[in-house]
Amino acid sequence: MKILVTGSSGVLGINLVNHLLEKEGVEVKGFDISECHSAHKGVIEHVQGDILNKDDLDRACAGVDAIVHAASASPAFTADKIEAIVVEGTRNLLEAAKNNNIDRFVYVSSTAVYGIPDNMPMLETDPIQPYHDPYNVSKSKAETICANYRNSDLSVCILRPRTFLGPQRLGTFAMLFEWALEGRNFPMLGSGTNRYQFLDVYDLCEAISLALIKPKKLVSDTFNIGAKSFGSMTETYQAVLDAAGFNKKIICLPAKPILVVLDFLSMLRLSPLYKRLYQKLNRDYFASIEKAEQVLGFTPKYSNTETLVRCFNWYREHKNTLPTSIGTGNNQPWDQGLLKFGKIFF
């Protein structure tokens, strides 16, 4: 099987290419607006192109048997750019798959399409009611397009992963890791007793692999993907501080006044935390993975705490070689804004 991975130079893409290359009989072709990742040069065929350019997509789709659509847009992009990349880009890729007689398509969506529901766990049958920001809305629109392309000739599997972490992942988590390595305590919104689910990138890659090999009709459906073992936010984040070895603690802060401050900072673009993110941090937030377990045979390897500590240990090991420039991708540290001055209190 020859598999096209879009977004192959991103966090998920890099890990997924590595994961697929370990499978017997699998060949990988990468597609990204960026050049081929250094570890994959000479190892995979790479097409550098724009997902909005149909000629680029036809080159990418030529000669492949299946597509994993992992490319997306940063929430920091403008609303128009997010809509174009996530919605129109997905439509363009599905059309290219159809034109090239590709019969398997796996779309990596997000549990963000559920918004912030009151009832947990989130189920695949729950209504789609994304929080009203461009990223969430675009993801839900892209899912609708995917569902409309499902037919007897094209199997379209939609995976809704929880926030995933692992090697290469930085973004807002770089702030936690940086503070932990500096021997600081770390603030927590609210009591920290809420149950919050993450996902290891290894487990997400394994779920994608299963979606590529299970019967086409069976996987032409929608599945939540997340950690099976997870506890409270305090328990999960404390594991990183414990791994750092400075005997520091999670410091819980009252939610209501902190949310007001975060709203103000977000409005002025002085914080890396988007409203759709911090509004969930003091709530129970987890998805049922029973359907993926039963249909795909998905068995997560890592718990929440194992996932976060694994990512932290990778960060510590590679800290001196990581990008120093601030960016908007998950493979770059995000600007901490005014939050960096909070260090003096912790």
Side-chain angles (χ1 to χ4, degrees):
M1 180 183 286
K2 188 172 185 177
I3 302 166
L4 174 67
V5 175
T6 69
S8 55
S9 298
V11 175
L12 174 55
I14 294 168
N15 283 279
L16 180 58
V17 169
N18 291 337
H19 194 84
L20 292 175
L21 288 175
E22 294 177 355
K23 305 292 183 182
E24 186 176 353
V26 170
E27 185 179 350
V28 179
K29 188 176 185 179
F31 178 80
D32 203 290
I33 198 166
S34 301
E35 64 179 18
C36 186
H37 186 259
S38 57
H40 299 147
K41 288 182 177 178
V43 179
I44 67 169
E45 181 183 354
H46 181 80
V47 176
Q48 186 170 354
D50 190 335
I51 201 163
L52 299 178
N53 186 307
K54 294 182 180 180
D55 290 336
D56 289 346
L57 290 179
D58 278 335
R59 286 191 297 121
C61 290
V64 304
D65 303 299
I67 296 174
V68 179
H69 184 25
S72 193
S74 168
F77 290 170
T78 64
D80 288 345
K81 190 172 183 180
I82 292 172
E83 170 99 7
I85 293 171
V86 176
V87 180
E88 294 310 314
T90 300
R91 192 195 313 274
N92 290 346
L93 186 60
L94 281 160
E95 194 61 27
K98 178 182 173 183
N99 293 339
N100 284 272
N101 298 314
I102 296 168
D103 61 4
R104 282 182 183 267
F105 190 102
V106 179
Y107 177 56
V108 182
S109 183
S110 169
T111 52
V113 299
Y114 295 115
I116 309 177
D118 293 324
N119 298 321
M120 293 292 142
M122 295 173 283
L123 303 171
E124 291 88 348
T125 52
D126 287 347
I128 299 305
Q129 46 187 10
Y131 192 82
H132 296 294
D133 76 8
Y135 181 82
N136 291 7
V137 171
S138 293
K139 278 291 190 181
S140 65
K141 288 181 179 178
E143 280 201 12
T144 299
I145 294 169
C146 286
N148 289 338
Y149 268 80
R150 283 180 179 143
N151 56 50
S152 58
D153 296 322
L154 180 60
S155 169
V156 182
C157 178
I158 298 172
L159 300 181
R160 293 174 180 164
R162 288 291 302 117
T163 300
F164 62 86
L165 299 100
Q168 313 288 337
R169 181 68 190 252
L170 296 172
T172 55
F173 291 97
M175 182 169 73
L176 167 63
F177 301 156
E178 178 186 306
W179 288 34
L181 281 181
E182 291 177 355
R184 301 181 187 278
N185 297 311
F186 196 78
M188 178 67 64
L189 181 66
S191 67
T193 57
N194 56 304
R195 298 182 67 203
Y196 201 90
Q197 180 187 36
F198 288 113
L199 171 65
D200 196 284
V201 71
Y202 171 91
D203 288 325
L204 176 53
C205 290
E206 188 58 24
I208 293 169
S209 296
L210 291 167
L212 289 167
I213 63 172
K214 294 288 182 176
K216 289 194 305 176
K217 187 176 180 180
L218 192 70
V219 301
S220 196
D221 204 343
T222 301
F223 304 92
N224 294 330
I225 305 296
K228 186 174 181 66
S229 176
F230 56 94
S232 69
M233 283 288 279
T234 298
E235 175 189 355
T236 302
Y237 277 60
Q238 183 63 50
V240 171
L241 299 186
D242 291 344
F246 294 100
N247 295 317
K248 296 300 179 178
K249 299 294 181 185
I250 296 296
I251 307 298
C252 295
L253 303 174
K256 286 186 178 180
I258 298 301
L259 284 171
V260 171
V261 172
L262 289 174
D263 281 343
F264 180 71
L265 294 178
S266 178
M267 181 179 65
L268 298 178
R269 298 183 177 275
L270 296 174
S271 164
L273 301 178
Y274 297 96
K275 191 164 185 175
R276 67 176 176 85
L277 296 178
Y278 63 74
Q279 287 285 347
K280 298 182 288 191
L281 291 179
N282 66 327
R283 305 167 63 106
D284 285 343
Y285 203 81
F286 53 94
S288 168
I289 62 169
E290 286 186 13
K291 184 177 177 182
E293 289 177 305
Q294 294 170 2
V295 178
L296 299 179
F298 174 60
T299 305
K301 180 178 180 180
Y302 294 101
S303 68
N304 249 29
T305 53
E306 289 170 335
T307 292
L308 210 57
V309 170
R310 193 169 90 92
C311 190
F312 168 67
N313 286 335
W314 179 88
Y315 174 88
R316 174 161 52 186
E317 182 180 345
H318 294 84
K319 185 176 183 298
N320 293 331
T321 61
L322 292 176
T324 55
S325 59
I326 300 300
T328 57
N330 284 327
N331 57 351
Q332 296 173 289
W334 290 6
D335 186 359
Q336 295 182 30
L338 286 183
L339 298 184
K340 63 185 176 184
F341 296 108
K343 286 183 178 182
I344 62 176
F345 301 106
F346 295 94

